[in-house]
C-alpha cells in the first residue's frame, strides 16, 4: 500500500493514501470537516480523484455536503445531521447509520445508507436516489420534490408530508399520517400503513407504476415483488381551498 | 302636545360599519379574509418619536458641507466575504410568484443603482433578479421551493427565514390564480393549485438544530456568504439571543406591521410585536452578548421615510429593510389606476387583494398583459430616487444631531410623544426624564 502526500484545494496539504482499490482517504480523526468537504467539493475525475473513503466520521454533521462531481465517497462509520446534503452527481455510501436530514435537498446522484436513518431523510430532495438499507424515522421524504427514496425497512410517522414529486418506496411498514397533504409524489408500501394523512388515499397500481417501482427496486438492490406493493397518492381534494373540506386539515 | 326630539342615529363603536361588513363578508363566503400588505390598524410607531436636535449642549454638522457617512458592512462575524452597502437600507425578500418578473427586475435595478442589496423570496431565484441585482440575498425558506446549491453559491448572502412580522408562526399562501406554468415549474407543483408554504422548516426544529443547519449551509458555500436569520417580531430579546447562538452573521427583525404577499387578515392584525417595541430588546440581547454591531441588526416593518430610518438606527439597528414602500415607489396603489381599482371594488391606497393577481399596476400579478404595464427600467429609477431621498433625509437628521455617521445616532437623541412610545422605545417622554418602566416607575 503506497501512501502519498498531495496538494489539494485551497493550498492545504492532506495526507492521501492510495489504498487497495485506489481509494483516496480522508481521516476525520486528523482532518477537519472543512478540509474534508473542500477536498471532496474540488475533487476532479480527470485526475482520478474519483474514489474516496472517509475514516472516523464519528457522527460528524454535514459530512460530504454540496458535492457536484461524479465521484464515489465511502463513509466508514456513522454520521450526524445532513450527510450528503444538497448532493449533485456524487455517490455517497455510508457504511453505518445517519442522523437527521440525510441527502436533504439532493439534486442528483445517489446516497446509500447501510444502517438506519433518523428524521427527515431525503427532505425536499429534487432528484437522485436515496437508499436506506435499515429503517428511516419520522418525516422521511418530507416535502420531497422529485427525489426517489427506497427504504428497505420501516418508516416513521408523518412521512411524505406535503410530498410534491418523486417516488417513495417502503419495503416494510409505514407509520401514522403517511402522505399528509401530499401533492403529486407516489408512495409504494409493501407492508402495513398505520394511517393515511389528510388527502392521501390508496390508488390503483397501473402498469406504468409497476415499471417505475420495479426499476427502483432493482437500482436499490431490493429483493421484493412489485405486485405485492400498494400505491398511495393524493385525492387532490385540498388542492384549491374549498370550505366544505376545511374540516380535513 | 310637545314634539319629541329624536336622537341622532348612533353607530356602535363595538359594531362599527367596518366590523359589520366583515361579519357579512364572513357569513356569505364562509372563509377568512386573505389579503396582502401589513397591519392597517394604528400601533405606536416611529411617528411617536422626535429627534431633539443639537443646541447648547450638542453641536450640529453643517448640512451641505460636512460629511455624514451612510455605509454599512453586513456579515463580519463568520463570513469570508461580508456585504458592503452604500446606504443602510436594503430591499426585503418578496417572492417571485407574488410579484411579477418585471417587478423583481425593477427592485434589482433600483437597489443596485442606490448601492444596496435586494432579496429573493419564496419561490426561488429568478434571472430577472439575479441579473439586475449587484448584491442579492437568497432566502432559505421552509417551502424550499426552487432551492438548489447552484443558486446558493450564486447568492451574495443567505437568509434563513424563521418568521415574518406580518405572521410570526404562519406559513405562506399563493392562491391558484397566480400559479402560472413558470411559477409552478419553479416550485415543482401543478399549475393552478393553491400553494401552501409550510410555517416550519422541514428538516430542523429549534436553535440547536438550526446551528447545525447553518454549519451545513456554510460548508456548501465554503464559509464565504454571510448568513442572515430573519425573525418575525415576537419575543425579540430571546429570539435575538437564540439567533446569535444558532450562528447568525446578521439578524433581520421584522416587526408586526411588516407587509406580506397574502395572509389571513386576522393574522396580520392580531399577531406580533410592533416594530417600535422590537428594537430595544433585540439590541439589549446583542449588547449583553458583546455582539452589538458585530452581529448586525436589520429592522423592518413599516419603514416609509428617512425619519423612520434614522429613528430605527438611533435605537440601535445597523440597517433597515423595506418591502411595501418599495412597491409603492415602483407604482403600487398609484391613483392613476383609480378607475380600475374602482372596478375591483376598491380605491387607490386601499387595494390589497394582491393574491388575486389582478393588480392594475402590474406588480403583484402574473398576468402577462398587466405585467407589461410596469417598465422595469423606469420603475427601477423611481426606486433609486426614493432610496436616495430616504438616505438624504436620514443624513439631514443625523447632522442635526451632530453625527458624522448615521450609526452614531443614539437613543439619547430621541424623545417620545406618547407614554406608550416612551415605554416601547425606552426613551423619555418629551419634556421629562421619565422612561416608563425604568427606575421603578
Ligand atoms: C408582496 C410581498 C411579498 C413578500 N414575500 C416574502 C417572502 O417571500 N419571504 C419573506 O421572508 N418575507 C416576505 N415578505 C415580507 C418582507 O420581506 C418584509 O418583511 C416586509 O415587507 C417588511 O415590512 P414593510 O412591507 O412594511 O416594509 C413579503 C412582503 C410583501 C409586501
Amino acid at each position: 500500500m503506497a501512501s502519498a502526500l498531495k496538494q489539494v484545494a485551497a493550498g492545504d496539504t492532506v495526507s492521501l493514501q492510495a489504498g487497495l482499490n485506489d481509494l483516496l482517504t480522508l481521516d476525520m480523526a486528523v482532518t477537519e470537516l472543512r478540509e474534508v468537504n473542500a477536498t471532496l467539493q474540488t475533487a476532479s475525475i480527470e485526475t482520478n480523484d474519483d474514489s474516496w473513503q472517509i475514516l472516523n466520521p464519528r457522527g460528524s454533521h454535514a459530512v460530504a455536503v454540496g458535492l457536484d462531481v461524479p465521484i464515489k465517497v465511502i463513509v466508514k462509520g456513522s454520521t450526524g445531521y445532513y450527510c450528503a446534503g444538497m448532493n449533485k452527481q456524487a455517490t455517497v455510501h455510508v457504511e453505518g447509520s445517519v442522523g437527521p436530514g440525510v441527502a436533504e435537498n439532493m439534486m442528483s446522484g445517489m446516497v446509500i445508507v447501510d444502517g438506519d436513518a433518523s428524521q427527515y431523510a431525503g427532505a425536499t430532495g429534487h432528484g437522485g436516489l436515496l437508499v436506506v438499507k435499515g429503517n428511516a424515522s419520522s418525516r422521511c421524504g418530507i416535502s420531497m420534490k422529485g427525489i426517489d427514496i427506497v427504504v428497505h425497512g420501516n418508516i416513521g410517522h408523518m412521512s411524505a408530508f406535503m410530498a410534491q414529486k418523486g417516488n417513495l418506496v417502503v419495503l416494510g411498514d409505514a407509520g401514522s399520517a403517511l402522505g399528509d397533504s401530499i401533492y403529486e409524489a407516489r408512495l409504494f408500501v409493501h407492508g402495513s400503513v398505520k394511517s393515511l394523512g389528510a388527502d392521501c388515499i390508496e390508488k390503483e397500481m397501473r402498469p406504468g407504476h409497476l415499471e417505475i417501482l420495479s426499476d427502483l427496486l432493482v437500482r436499490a438492490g431490493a429483493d421484493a415483488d412489485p405486485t405485492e406493493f400498494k400505491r398511495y397518492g393524493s385525492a387532490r381534494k385540498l388542492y384549491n381551498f374549498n370550505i366544505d373540506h376545511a374540516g380535513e386539515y | 302636545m310637545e314634539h319629541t326630539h329624536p336622537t341622532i342615529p348612533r353607530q356602535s363603536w363595538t359594531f362599527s360599519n367596518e366590523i359589520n361588513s366583515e361579519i357579512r363578508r364572513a357569513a356569505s363566503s364562509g372563509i377568512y379574509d386573505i389579503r396582502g400588505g401589513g397591519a392597517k390598524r394604528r400601533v405606536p410607531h416611529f411617528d411617536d418619536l422626535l429627534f431633539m436636535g443639537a443646541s447648547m449642549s450638542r453641536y450640529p454638522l453643517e448640512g451641505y458641507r460636512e460629511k455624514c457617512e451612510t455605509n454599512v458592512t453586513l456579515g463580519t462575524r463568520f463570513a469570508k466575504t461580508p456585504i458592503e452597502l452604500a446606504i443602510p437600507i436594503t430591499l426585503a425578500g418578496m417572492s417571485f410568484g407574488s410579484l411579477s418578473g418585471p417587478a423583481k427586475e425593477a427592485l434589482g435595478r433600483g437597489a443596485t443603482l442606490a448601492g444596496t442589496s435586494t432579496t429573493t423570496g419564496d419561490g426561488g431565484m429568478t434571472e430577472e433578479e439575479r441579473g439586475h441585482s449587484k448584491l442579492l440575498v437568497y432566502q432559505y425558506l421552509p417551502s424550499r421551493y426552487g432551492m438548489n446549491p447552484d443558486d446558493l453559491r450564486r447568492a451574495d448572502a443567505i437568509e434563513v427565514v424563521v418568521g415574518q412580522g406580518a405572521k410570526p408562526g404562519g406559513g405562506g399562501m399563493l392562491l391558484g390564480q397566480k400559479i402560472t406554468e413558470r411559477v409552478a415549474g419553479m416550485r415543482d407543483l401543478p399549475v393552478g393549485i393553491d400553494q401552501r408554504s409550510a410555517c416550519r422548516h422541514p428538516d430542523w426544529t429549534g436553535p440547536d438544530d438550526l446551528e447545525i443547519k447553518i454549519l451545513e449551509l456554510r460548508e456548501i458555500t465554503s464559509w464565504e456568504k454571510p448568513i442572515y436569520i430573519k425573525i418575525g417580531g415576537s419575543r425579540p430579546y430571546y429570539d435575538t439571543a437564540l439567533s446569535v447562538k444558532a450562528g447568525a452573521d446578521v439578524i433581520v427583525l421584522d416587526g408586526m406591521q411588516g407587509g406580506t404577499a397574502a395572509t389571513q387578515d386576522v393574522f396580520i392584525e392580531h399577531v406580533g410585536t410592533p416594530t417600535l417595541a422590537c428594537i430595544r430588546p433585540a439590541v439589549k440581547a446583542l449588547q449583553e452578548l458583546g455582539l452589538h454591531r458585530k452581529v448586525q441588526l436589520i429592522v423592518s416593518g413599516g419603514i416609509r421615510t428617512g425619519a423612520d430610518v434614522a429613528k430605527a438606527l438611533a435605537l440601535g439597528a445597523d440597517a433597515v429593510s423595506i418591502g411595501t414602500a418599495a412597491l409603492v415607489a415602483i407604482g403600487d396603489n398609484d391613483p392613476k389606476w383609480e378607475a380600475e381599482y374602482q372596478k375591483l371594488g376598491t380605491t387607490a391606497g386601499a387595494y390589497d387583494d394582491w393574491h388575486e393577481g389582478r393588480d392594475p399596476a402590474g406588480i403583484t400579478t402574473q398576468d402577462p398583459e398587466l405585467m407589461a404595464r410596469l417598465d422595469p427600467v423606469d420603475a427601477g429609477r423611481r426606486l433609486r430616487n426614493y432610496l436616495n431621498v430616504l438616505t438624504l433625509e436620514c443624513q439631514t437628521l443625523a447632522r442635526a444631531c451632530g453625527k458624522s455617521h448615521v450609526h452614531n445616532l443614539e437613543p439619547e437623541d430621541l424623545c417620545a410623544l406618547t407614554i406608550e412610545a416612551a415605554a416601547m422605545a425606552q426613551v423619555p417622554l418629551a419634556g421629562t426624564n421619565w422612561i416608563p418602566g425604568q427606575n421603578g416607575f
Side-chain angles (χ1 to χ4, degrees):
Chain A
M1 212 166 74
S3 80
L5 221 82
K6 232 169 110 179
Q7 201 70 10
V8 294
D12 297 330
T13 335
V14 182
S15 112
L16 304 167
Q17 299 162 347
L20 282 179
N21 305 321
D22 276 346
L23 284 183
L24 298 160
T25 298
L26 291 162
D27 185 352
M28 294 193 73
V30 292
T31 312
E32 294 289 331
L33 176 72
R34 182 76 287 266
E35 215 164 301
V36 169
N37 281 326
T39 305
L40 296 175
Q41 284 164 1
T42 53
S44 155
I45 44 166
E46 277 88 58
T47 51
N48 284 332
D49 293 357
D50 56 349
S51 295
W52 296 82
Q53 63 176 345
I54 297 177
L55 302 182
N56 298 305
R58 298 177 298 179
S60 302
H61 306 309
V63 173
V65 296
L67 305 190
D68 190 6
V69 261
I71 58 171
K72 289 193 194 70
V73 181
I74 296 174
V75 184
K76 298 274 186 186
S78 296
T79 63
Y81 282 56
Y82 310 129
C83 180
M86 296 214 186
N87 186 55
K88 269 179 99 176
Q89 303 192 65
T91 299
V92 179
H93 185 154
V94 183
E95 295 181 352
S97 291
V98 293
V102 63
E104 69 85 18
N105 213 90
M106 174 154 65
M107 305 302 292
S108 62
M110 187 162 172
V111 175
I112 305 151
V113 180
D114 285 349
D116 297 320
S118 183
Q119 306 171 82
Y120 343 115
T124 78
H126 285 69
L129 174 64
L130 166 65
V131 180
V132 179
K133 299 266 177 81
N135 302 308
S137 180
S138 58
R139 296 171 208 274
C140 177
I142 183 172
S143 194
M144 55 194 275
K145 295 169 169 48
I147 190 177
D148 292 320
I149 305 175
V150 179
V151 180
H152 287 227
N154 306 322
I155 57 170
H157 66 264
M158 290 299 276
S159 287
F161 176 60
M162 289 180 88
Q164 297 175 213
K165 233 180 169 174
N167 301 288
L168 171 62
V169 179
V170 185
L171 279 83
D173 302 331
S176 55
L178 177 70
D180 194 287
S181 305
I182 187 172
Y183 293 97
E184 294 295 295
R186 301 183 197 95
L187 315 179
F188 301 98
V189 184
H190 188 254
S192 67
V193 173
K194 192 160 184 203
S195 65
L196 293 172
D199 213 29
C200 186
I201 53 168
E202 188 181 336
K203 294 188 140 182
E204 185 195 351
M205 183 81 93
R206 291 194 296 267
H209 300 123
L210 281 173
E211 254 170 59
I212 293 169
L213 177 56
S214 307
D215 173 59
L216 284 171
L217 289 169
V218 170
R219 285 167 58 207
D223 185 19
D225 179 355
T227 61
E228 290 172 3
F229 283 72
K230 283 183 178 165
R231 179 170 80 96
Y232 304 90
S234 181
R236 304 191 178 105
K237 281 201 289 189
L238 301 181
Y239 274 17
N240 292 97
F241 189 86
N242 177 338
I243 187 62
D244 297 325
H245 296 148
E248 294 182 29
Y249 287 103
Chain B
M1 231 178 58
E2 194 160 351
H3 178 68
T4 311
H5 284 275
T7 57
I8 51 173
R10 187 174 175 198
Q11 175 83 37
S12 163
W13 180 86
T14 309
F15 289 90
S16 62
N17 272 335
E18 234 168 65
I19 289 284
N20 291 347
S21 79
E22 166 52 22
I23 293 173
R24 283 187 287 269
R25 192 207 57 75
S28 60
S29 73
I31 180 175
Y32 37 58
D33 188 24
I34 293 178
R35 67 171 179 86
K40 294 192 173 185
R41 62 155 83 208
R42 192 194 190 290
V43 295
H45 200 37
F46 296 116
D47 292 336
D48 302 314
L49 301 182
L50 293 176
F51 282 105
M52 287 184 282
S55 176
M56 292 289 278
S57 63
R58 310 261 195 293
Y59 58 89
L61 296 185
E62 171 57 51
Y64 293 96
R65 296 278 180 277
E66 289 175 300
K67 259 204 151 100
C68 176
E69 309 270 7
T70 59
N71 62 303
V72 46
T73 307
L74 301 170
T76 49
R77 188 184 184 198
F78 293 123
K80 275 192 224 158
T81 320
I83 298 237
E84 303 282 352
L85 303 180
I87 60 173
I89 307 154
T90 68
L91 273 294
M94 291 184 271
S95 59
F96 170 72
S98 77
L99 298 188
S100 66
K104 285 303 254 179
E105 179 181 333
L107 295 177
R109 284 178 180 275
T112 300
L113 287 169
T116 188
S117 61
T118 184
T119 312
T120 64
D122 217 355
M125 188 186 284
T126 60
E127 290 311 317
E128 285 96 325
E129 192 167 34
R130 178 62 280 186
H132 294 285
S133 307
K134 182 157 176 279
L135 295 170
L136 181 61
V137 183
Y138 186 32
Q139 285 199 329
Y140 190 76
L141 292 123
S143 72
R144 309 279 166 86
Y145 289 140
M147 176 50 55
N148 70 81
D150 301 326
D151 284 343
L152 213 52
R153 292 182 178 119
R154 288 206 297 165
D156 299 290
I158 298 161
E159 182 168 303
V160 179
V161 179
V162 174
Q164 236 180 282
K167 45 176 176 182
M173 170 75 107
L174 196 60
L175 294 187
Q177 297 94 308
K178 289 175 84 169
I179 313 295
T180 59
E181 236 161 79
R182 181 175 178 204
V183 174
M186 284 178 69
R187 296 173 182 227
D188 294 294
L189 281 168
V191 174
I193 71 168
D194 295 346
Q195 300 196 354
R196 291 157 287 160
S197 302
C199 64
R200 292 197 309 272
H201 282 261
D203 57 356
W204 60 268
T205 32
D208 295 334
D209 283 7
L210 178 54
E211 192 173 349
I212 306 170
K213 174 51 75 179
I214 287 178
L215 168 73
E216 184 206 5
L217 294 174
R218 290 197 196 277
E219 283 292 322
I220 291 172
T221 54
S222 306
W223 290 73
E224 279 172 8
K225 326 273 178 199
I227 306 240
Y228 302 8
I229 295 180
K230 176 173 181 176
I231 48 180
S234 180
R235 298 167 187 82
Y237 175 78
Y238 295 105
D239 295 339
T240 300
L242 291 170
S243 298
V244 167
K245 187 228 176 281
D249 290 311
V250 174
I251 295 169
V252 181
L253 177 53
D254 189 29
M256 174 254 182
Q257 303 99 301
T260 171
T263 301
Q264 299 94 329
D265 177 80
V266 71
F267 214 142
I268 299 173
E269 296 288 354
H270 297 277
V271 186
T273 301
T275 307
L276 187 68
C278 283
I279 308 178
R280 295 305 294 276
V283 171
K284 180 164 178 260
L286 291 172
Q287 284 167 338
E288 286 175 2
L289 293 163
L291 289 170
H292 187 219
R293 305 271 184 237
K294 292 181 183 139
V295 169
Q296 289 79 32
L297 178 68
I298 302 179
V299 166
S300 61
I303 302 283
R304 311 145 300 171
T305 65
D308 292 346
V309 179
K311 289 168 188 175
L313 298 186
L315 294 177
D318 294 277
V320 300
S321 193
I322 58 168
T324 307
L327 299 187
V328 174
I330 64 173
D332 173 63
N333 268 292
D334 191 324
K336 80 175 178 193
W337 304 111
E338 182 59 24
E340 298 197 33
Y341 288 125
Q342 293 285 335
K343 278 190 220 147
L344 295 172
T346 182
T347 181
Y351 176 65
D352 59 10
D353 286 327
W354 299 349
H355 55 289
E356 292 178 351
R358 295 187 288 174
D359 184 1
I363 296 170
T364 56
T365 181
Q366 298 298 322
D367 178 315
E369 269 174 40
L370 293 174
M371 257 156 65
R373 291 182 178 179
L374 188 79
D375 172 1
V377 177
D378 182 50
R381 248 182 257 125
R382 281 196 302 257
L383 178 58
R384 188 266 325 260
N385 288 346
Y386 171 64
L387 288 167
N388 284 353
V389 170
L390 290 184
T391 307
L392 288 168
E393 287 178 344
C394 179
Q395 284 172 304
T396 301
L397 296 172
R399 284 198 189 93
C401 297
K403 316 295 187 188
S404 59
H405 195 295
V406 291
H407 284 163
N408 296 342
L409 285 164
E410 52 196 332
E412 287 69 23
D413 294 317
L414 293 166
C415 64
L417 289 170
T418 67
I419 296 173
E420 288 86 351
M424 292 181 188
Q426 296 166 35
V427 300
L429 185 65
T432 76
N433 58 5
W434 179 38
I435 301 177
Q438 291 191 4
N439 304 321
F441 297 102

